[in-house]
Amino acid sequence: MPLPEEFAGRLLPLLPELVAGYGTPFHIYDQRGLIDQHREMATAFGTEPYRQYFAVKALPNPVVLSTLLAEGSGLDCASPVELELAQRVGAVADDVVFTSNNTAVSEYELALKAGALVTFDDRSLLDKVERLPDLVAFRVAPHGTAARSTLMGSATHSKFGVPVGDLADAYREARRRGARRFGIHGMICANELDLDRAVRAASDVVELGAWLAAEVGVELEYVNIGGGLGIPYQPGERAIDFPAYAAAVLASRRRAFGRRRPRIVSEFGRYVTGPHGVLVTRVINRCRKGQDVVGVDASMAALMRPGYYGAYHHISLPFATGRRETLVDVVGSLCENNDKFGIDRMLPDPVEGDIALVHDTGAHGHAMGFTYNGRLRPAELMLTTAGEVVEIRRAETFDDYLATARWNPVPIMEVTR
Ligand SMILES: *Cc1c(COP(=O)(O)O)cnc(C)c1O
């Protein structure tokens, strides 16, 4: 989508000087924007028991995580490294939700030791962990509305969560093994932009939780509705009305649980930071192949989503207004034909040297980057609430690229014959 107006108002006046002095490419995040986004969410739930845990994988930068933590956000982790990162920025105990899948027992043990709210992805874990925590939550496999949507992949082949038919037994078994407190987790939408469907997905988990509590005879302390709220990547799409979403989720909880009020927990990533980041690049080539090609100085290494799943990211040339619009492909430099930020885009006739922005890179952007072809991941900058531009991750260098390589091979196993 077009840059959020306030972000554009803050960024664009600085951009020519920033680009001239710092170089391109880089991601830049709007601290004000992501704080306001978090506050909007917290405010929408009012004084009802609710906590949003930012999905670390969406933007695992310490400064971003600290910013959100300071706002009262928790952090949702899915791996030991994310867990350590959360701890390093100061998250303690139930500031952390650990929701992972295909998890090694040692990883659960780490999360349990950290005091995190742990989501068990499968009941077989009950046999494997040394000691069950007091508080146990299972993730339910996509069910209800989700089982009929293609958003989360085929429900019959989902690798996530406990099948709904096995859920009650899983809780009974957890209780038999000493668990005394319970929660439930269900993430059954992905990049969902339709308010009704998003509400339906959350309500499915809430209702299932209420049914389960009655069926098994336990109280639920929380219902984790996961992540998956979408953002309008395409021009013309509309953002989710979050206050309406929150009101509907609370209404659903009231209907399902009556006066009991289990905490609503969410793990939104994309919705919080997605629109508040942009990839800043410059046009370095303009040529004609089968079609008009505009080459920029960033590649899939900086933003994988378009090449990986054909995801749409809006592209703009903020300083090229008034030129004739022309149809182009915008490409990176990887030796892969899918290394394209945009196909068949109408842009004001780009010329070499133009600043080009790839929008909505605040979530699942830099984080998914990789170093194939020796194209290294770019820097991350932040436009702070004080109006400064700070570097919160430098660009990678040759030394980073080879940091794990052994110039002198290290013996591992001697084979004697
Ligand atoms: C990826 C993920 C999230 C965050 O998803 P968004 O689309 O960024 O909101 C939350 N919870 C779990 C378990 C996830 O896998």
Side-chain angles (χ1 to χ4, degrees):
M1 66 163 149
L3 290 194
E5 219 170 285
E6 302 84 27
F7 186 18
R10 288 187 277 270
L11 178 67
L12 296 186
L14 310 175
L15 205 51
E17 189 187 337
L18 176 61
V19 163
Y22 189 78
T24 49
F26 57 84
H27 291 271
I28 185 165
Y29 311 122
D30 182 29
Q31 191 176 30
R32 178 83 265 151
L34 51 99
I35 288 175
D36 288 349
Q37 194 81 57
H38 177 80
R39 286 185 183 171
E40 179 209 326
M41 299 164 76
T43 305
F45 279 91
T47 53
E48 295 291 332
Y50 168 70
R51 193 167 185 194
Q52 148 65 15
Y53 289 74
F54 179 67
V56 169
K57 71 167 188 247
L59 183 46
N61 185 287
V63 178
V64 170
L65 300 182
S66 304
T67 298
L68 290 170
L69 198 61
E71 286 297 317
S73 177
L75 301 176
D76 165 40
C77 303
S79 67
V81 167
E82 288 182 356
L83 185 62
E84 178 161 2
L85 174 55
Q87 292 177 308
R88 295 272 190 108
V89 299
V92 294
D94 68 358
D95 287 339
V96 176
V97 162
F98 189 79
T99 302
S100 58
N101 74 92
N102 183 28
T103 311
V105 177
S106 59
E107 301 182 357
Y108 277 120
E109 301 283 0
L110 276 177
L112 291 173
K113 216 167 111 217
L117 297 175
V118 176
T119 312
F120 289 98
D121 192 68
D122 188 77
R123 58 188 291 188
S124 64
L125 262 305
L126 294 177
D127 295 327
K128 294 185 190 161
V129 292
E130 223 166 77
R131 188 179 54 81
L132 261 198
D134 208 32
L135 174 57
V136 165
F138 285 101
R139 177 176 188 168
V140 60
H143 68 288
T145 319
R148 278 171 265 120
S149 97
T150 50
L151 283 166
M152 297 288 294
S154 160
T156 47
H157 285 273
S158 173
K159 67 167 188 154
F160 302 116
V162 180
V164 70
D166 297 343
L167 208 55
D169 275 348
Y171 281 86
R172 285 190 192 101
E173 192 177 339
R175 183 176 51 190
R176 194 153 40 72
R177 292 175 184 236
R180 286 293 163 260
R181 301 162 57 206
F182 301 91
I184 188 172
H185 178 289
M187 172 162 171
I188 49 185
C189 58
N191 194 22
E192 183 58 71
L193 261 188
D194 182 86
L195 179 62
D196 290 338
R197 278 203 303 265
V199 167
R200 195 61 249 156
S203 301
D204 279 348
V205 183
V206 169
E207 286 161 16
L208 181 69
W211 169 82
L212 186 82
E215 172 74 17
V216 183
V218 295
E219 290 243 359
L220 284 192
E221 290 191 17
Y222 70 87
V223 177
N224 186 337
I225 55 179
L229 274 196
I231 58 169
Y233 285 102
Q234 306 251 9
E237 287 178 337
R238 291 236 320 276
I240 285 271
D241 178 347
F242 197 87
Y245 173 76
V249 171
L250 289 174
S252 154
R253 185 184 63 184
R254 216 170 300 120
R255 276 194 308 274
F257 284 93
R259 300 227 321 280
R260 293 203 177 88
R261 296 189 305 162
R263 177 180 300 276
I264 301 292
V265 165
S266 61
E267 302 170 342
F268 298 121
R270 187 190 320 271
Y271 186 78
V272 186
T273 54
H276 306 290
V278 62
L279 173 62
V280 180
T281 71
R282 264 180 300 193
V283 175
I284 54 170
N285 283 299
R286 177 71 207 274
C287 51
R288 170 134 198 104
K289 314 259 166 159
Q291 70 289 14
D292 266 22
V293 173
V294 173
V296 295
D297 61 4
S299 69
M300 264 177 101
L303 178 69
M304 193 172 189
R305 299 185 71 256
Y308 187 23
Y309 9 72
Y312 182 96
H313 279 260
H314 198 60
I315 300 172
S316 69
L317 271 56
F319 305 106
T321 44
R323 294 188 204 154
R324 176 179 56 88
E325 295 273 317
T326 174
L327 192 70
V328 297
D329 288 358
V330 179
V331 309
S333 316
L334 288 200
C335 304
E336 288 286 343
N337 198 42
N338 60 350
D339 182 22
K340 291 178 182 144
F341 291 112
I343 297 171
D344 287 341
R345 296 292 176 88
M346 288 301 286
L347 287 175
D349 205 20
V351 296
E352 285 177 27
D354 277 344
I355 295 175
L357 305 181
V358 184
H359 297 203
D360 301 313
T361 67
H364 312 291
H366 188 282
M368 282 175 112
F370 61 123
T371 60
Y372 184 57
N373 249 183
R375 296 288 172 188
L376 305 182
R377 283 170 288 229
E380 295 179 292
L381 307 185
M382 177 175 266
L383 186 55
T384 69
T385 49
E388 293 170 333
V389 176
V390 293
E391 185 177 73
I392 57 173
R393 188 191 301 273
R394 62 166 173 76
E396 285 177 330
T397 63
F398 180 80
D399 285 345
D400 296 319
Y401 182 54
L402 283 183
T404 49
R406 306 287 195 203
W407 291 89
N408 298 305
V410 175
I412 296 298
M413 189 172 97
E414 207 176 309
V415 180
T416 48
R417 287 177 220 282

